[in-house]
Amino acid sequence: MSKLWAKKGSKINTIIEAYTVNEDYLLDNQLMPYDIQATKAHAKGLESIGILTKEELKKIISRLGALEKLWKSGKVKIKVTDEDCHTVIENFLSGKLRTTGKKIHTGRSRNDQVLTAIRLYMKDNLKKIKKEAKKVAKHFLEFAIEHQNVPMPGYTHTQQAMLSSVGHYFCAYFESLIDDISFLDAVHSQIDSNPLGSAAGYGTSLLLDRELTTKELKFKNIQINSLYCQNSRGKFESLYLEALSQIMFSLSRFANDLILFTSQEFDFFKVKNTLVTGSSIMPQKRNLDGMEILRGKTHIVTSNQSLIKDICKNLISGYHRDLQLIKKPLFESTEIVLQSLDIADLYLKGIKPKEKSIAKKISHEIYMADLATDLAKQKKIPFRTAYKQAHKKIAKYKPDPKENIKSKISLGAPGNLDIHYYKSRLRKI
Ligand code: ARG
C-alpha cells in the first residue's frame, strides 16, 4: 500500500524501509482495534466541527466497522510496505470512500494516533490484569484461610527465625497482590487522559472537539499541552511497566518460596504431577519449571521498564521515531504478566502443605525469641536480660507449635492475621 508521506517520483530505499519498520508492522496488530476505535472518535469530532457531513461520518464509521471485521478474520493484514496500522486504516478508508476517506487525517497526525491507541491499549490491559490479579489474590486468601493454622518456619537470612504459619505466608502474598492492584488503579487514573487532538505535537489551526473525543473514548481527562502529549510517550508506558513489575515482584516471591519449599531439604508442599517437569536422565526429578520461568520472566519485565526509560530519557521534546521501539517491551510485558498470573493460579490450585513433614523441620531454637519475650513479660525484666537467659532455658521450653502461632497476637502476626480486613479489602477493589 502507498505510504501516507510518499513523494512523487521517489521511493524509499528498501533496506532503510525494512530497518525502520522492522517488526512494527506485526506489533501494530495489537493496536489495530484501538486505532480503529480512536479513528471513529476522531471522525465524530470532525463531524462536530463541520469538516465531515453526517453522511460522510456514517460512511466512515461503517467502513471502519468493515475493516475491523476483515482484519479480525485475517483478510486484511498489515504489511511491511504499509509501515503501520495507521496507514492501513487511512488507505482502507480512502480506497473505497475516496475523497471522504481522505478527509480522515484532517487535524491529526500518526503521532497522536499512535499515542491514543497505546493509551487505550494500556487502559484496557490494566483492567484485564486487575481482573486476573484479583482472582489470584482471592485464591491466595482462600489458601491462607484453609491452612491458616499449619505451623511453618519463618526465615531471615534463609535461617530459621521464628515460627510462622502457612496462613501467615499466604496472607503475605495476598496483601502484596492487593497493594499491586491498588497501584494498577493509581496508574490507570494517572494515564487516563486523552492525547488525541495534539496532532504532531504542535496542535492545529482547527478548533478540534477534544471534549467530544475524550467522552467518546471514555478518558477521564484531556491531556492539554500538545507537546506534553508527545513528551509523555514512554513516560506513561514506564509507569504502566512499574505497575506490571510490582505484580511480577509479588508473583516471583511466591515462585521463589515454592521452589525452595518443595525441594527435598524442605519438603513443605506437595505439588500435583501435572505441574512438574522431569529430566531426560534422572527419573526421580520433579521440577517446578513453571515457577522458574515465572521468576526468570520477572527480569524481562523489570528490564523492559528500564529499556523504555532509556529509549526516551535523553530525547529532546517532540516526536522521534525511536519511540516506536517502546511498543515491543510494552506488549511483551503485558503478555508475560497475564500469563504469569495464570501460571501462579495453577500452582496455587495444585499445591498442599505437608503438615507432618514441615513439623519435622521446625528447629527447637525457633522459639528462642518467644522464650525471651515470655521471660521479660513474666519476670518483668528487661528484654536484653531475658535474651541472655534464653539460651539456658530453651531446653525446658516446649511450646505446642499451634499454640505458639496463636500466641502471636500483634496485628498481622500469625495469631492475628485479620482475615476480616483482607476480605473487606478484596471486596473493595
Ligand atoms: N510506528 C510509528 C511509531 O510507533 C508511528 C508514528 C509514525 N510517525 C512518524 N512521524 N513517522 O511511533
Side-chain angles (χ1 to χ4, degrees):
M1 266 192 216
S2 71
K3 309 244 178 327
L4 303 175
W5 45 266
K7 296 188 182 46
K8 248 197 177 145
S10 76
K11 221 174 148 262
I12 187 165
N13 178 306
T14 50
I15 297 172
I16 302 283
E17 178 177 60
Y19 187 69
T20 50
V21 175
N22 196 27
E23 57 198 326
D24 204 48
Y25 74 103
L26 296 172
L27 294 172
D28 264 17
N29 278 305
Q30 305 261 12
L31 294 183
M32 183 68 115
Y34 303 107
D35 200 10
I36 291 177
Q37 190 191 349
T39 302
K40 285 183 184 166
H42 180 63
K44 287 182 187 168
L46 290 181
E47 191 270 333
S48 99
I49 59 166
I51 303 281
L52 292 175
T53 64
K54 277 210 157 43
E55 199 44 42
E56 285 175 327
L57 173 65
K58 228 173 115 187
K59 280 188 192 153
I60 286 178
I61 299 287
S62 132
R63 264 324 260 160
L64 286 168
L67 172 61
E68 189 156 17
K69 273 195 200 127
L70 289 170
W71 170 77
K72 273 190 186 148
S73 65
K75 287 186 187 127
V76 166
K77 285 197 166 68
I78 312 168
K79 297 191 287 293
V80 180
T81 48
D82 295 319
E83 285 193 307
D84 49 41
C85 61
H86 325 299
T87 305
V88 172
I89 293 176
E90 188 169 333
N91 283 337
F92 187 83
L93 289 179
S94 45
K96 195 161 179 187
L97 302 179
R98 307 252 162 213
T99 320
T100 302
K102 286 181 190 165
K103 287 185 182 173
I104 193 64
H105 215 54
T106 320
R108 81 168 176 180
S109 157
R110 281 185 299 165
N111 297 356
D112 64 340
Q113 224 176 319
V114 65
L115 266 176
T116 311
I118 290 179
R119 209 151 294 175
L120 291 171
Y121 167 92
M122 289 195 288
K123 280 181 51 179
D124 206 19
N125 278 287
L126 284 172
K127 275 196 203 140
K128 280 187 200 155
I129 293 169
K130 178 175 175 175
K131 196 170 158 222
E132 286 304 305
K134 202 175 159 182
K135 186 179 84 190
V136 180
K138 185 170 169 268
H139 292 157
F140 272 125
L141 187 59
E142 283 166 4
F143 195 96
I145 295 169
E146 190 181 342
H147 307 289
Q148 202 173 146
N149 297 319
V150 176
M152 178 173 156
Y155 296 82
T156 66
H157 310 266
T158 330
Q159 307 280 333
Q160 290 202 7
M162 291 177 77
L163 196 61
S164 175
S165 66
V166 172
H168 192 221
Y169 268 85
F170 281 72
C171 275
Y173 305 135
F174 167 80
E175 192 172 338
S176 181
L177 210 44
I178 285 288
D179 272 354
D180 301 339
I181 295 171
S182 304
F183 192 56
L184 287 175
D185 285 341
V187 169
H188 188 280
S189 145
Q190 181 70 21
I191 68 167
D192 200 3
S193 57
N194 180 19
L196 188 63
S198 57
Y202 300 94
T204 150
S205 56
L206 298 167
L207 188 58
L208 294 170
D209 195 343
R210 296 196 69 197
E211 270 179 26
L212 182 144
T213 58
T214 301
K215 268 196 206 123
E216 277 293 320
L217 295 172
K218 300 192 171 63
F219 279 109
K220 196 174 66 189
N221 305 309
I222 305 178
Q223 196 173 15
I224 306 288
N225 185 289
S226 57
L227 184 55
Y228 174 53
C229 290
Q230 282 306 318
N231 293 349
S232 66
R233 187 156 178 205
K235 189 172 155 76
F236 281 20
E237 283 89 335
S238 102
L239 262 180
Y240 173 88
L241 263 271
E242 180 57 44
L244 269 52
S245 300
Q246 292 299 324
I247 300 222
M248 292 308 286
F249 286 162
S250 298
L251 299 183
S252 71
R253 176 81 65 184
F254 167 60
N256 257 321
D257 284 354
L258 204 60
I259 291 163
L260 185 72
F261 293 149
T262 52
S263 69
Q264 287 72 18
E265 284 71 14
F266 285 81
D267 196 27
F268 288 179
F269 291 90
K270 202 173 146 201
V271 185
K272 250 191 190 169
N273 285 340
T274 52
L275 300 180
V276 294
T277 60
S279 150
S280 58
I281 182 169
M282 300 165 285
Q284 84 284 10
K285 292 290 278 180
R286 299 179 83 253
N287 303 326
L288 269 72
D289 293 25
M291 292 281 93
E292 288 174 332
I293 293 289
L294 188 154
R295 179 171 64 182
K297 287 201 171 188
T298 302
H299 308 306
I300 300 180
V301 175
T302 54
S303 49
N304 275 346
Q305 189 196 16
S306 302
L307 176 59
I308 288 177
K309 284 178 170 168
D310 286 344
I311 288 169
C312 62
K313 73 182 177 206
N314 285 336
L315 299 175
I316 65 156
S317 287
Y319 176 82
H320 307 270
R321 191 71 182 263
D322 314 40
L323 297 167
Q324 172 178 297
L325 301 174
I326 288 174
K327 285 184 211 169
K328 189 179 172 185
L330 180 80
F331 300 155
E332 182 185 41
S333 307
T334 304
E335 192 183 323
I336 289 177
V337 170
L338 283 167
Q339 285 174 347
S340 303
L341 282 163
D342 272 351
I343 294 295
D345 204 41
L346 278 174
Y347 276 90
L348 205 42
K349 283 185 205 142
I351 55 167
K352 279 229 148 57
K354 295 169 88 172
E355 193 166 349
K356 283 191 187 136
S357 174
I358 304 175
K360 283 189 209 148
K361 303 283 165 38
I362 299 169
S363 76
H364 191 54
E365 284 75 25
I366 207 164
Y367 301 114
M368 282 273 216
D370 300 325
L371 170 59
T373 309
D374 282 357
L375 287 172
K377 229 172 20 185
Q378 285 156 14
K379 295 191 180 175
K380 295 198 173 22
I381 54 173
F383 179 79
R384 197 49 60 218
T385 313
Y387 175 96
K388 285 183 185 142
Q389 293 177 2
H391 274 290
K392 279 184 231 142
K393 310 227 172 204
I394 188 69
K396 286 191 185 140
Y397 189 70
K398 294 206 166 76
D400 172 69
K402 287 200 196 272
E403 291 307 316
N404 178 273
I405 293 173
K406 281 191 201 146
S407 73
K408 306 292 173 54
I409 52 169
S410 60
L411 181 62
N416 186 6
L417 295 172
D418 207 356
I419 301 280
H420 284 298
Y421 165 70
Y422 287 148
K423 281 187 178 165
S424 85
R425 258 196 97 177
L426 190 61
R427 270 195 306 272
K428 280 183 203 146
I429 56 165

